[in-house]
Amino acid sequence: EEQCQRQRQQLGPAPVSGHSSIAMSTEAIDYVKKPAMDFIKDSWKLMRRCTKPDSTEFTKIAQATSIGFFIMGVIGFFVKL
């Protein structure tokens, strides 16, 4: 019995079951929470800086997009042949 008591003293207290899993789960939550919060914060900054395009800007964007679609369609047509 004396040997058992000495070994217990040397080893220290036994770990409480579940305690390490609680610490691990908070670390896991922080691991997911911080990037998510940073993403939300950056998204709000972007939304505040964005403005609705006026008619001339919208027309330019629509023309550029239409030309891009046309070019991709022509390329796709010739590749398919």
Side-chain angles (χ1 to χ4, degrees):
E1 282 191 31
E2 270 183 48
Q3 272 186 327
C4 289
Q5 287 178 352
R6 276 189 244 139
Q7 287 178 350
R8 285 184 195 145
Q9 287 174 350
Q10 288 174 352
L11 292 175
V16 178
S17 64
H19 179 70
S20 63
S21 66
I22 291 172
M24 186 60 104
S25 66
T26 55
E27 289 175 11
I29 290 171
D30 289 341
Y31 181 77
V32 172
K33 184 179 174 185
K34 184 178 178 349
M37 294 300 290
D38 290 342
F39 176 76
I40 291 169
K41 187 171 70 170
D42 292 341
S43 298
W44 275 111
K45 282 182 186 178
L46 178 66
M47 291 299 292
R48 279 190 236 119
R49 291 185 67 190
C50 291
T51 58
K52 188 175 178 180
D54 59 357
S55 61
T56 57
E57 185 179 6
F58 179 78
T59 305
K60 287 180 183 178
I61 292 170
Q63 287 174 349
T65 304
S66 301
I67 291 169
F69 272 106
F70 178 74
I71 291 171
M72 292 301 291
V74 169
I75 292 171
F77 178 76
F78 285 113
V79 167
K80 185 70 175 175
L81 290 178

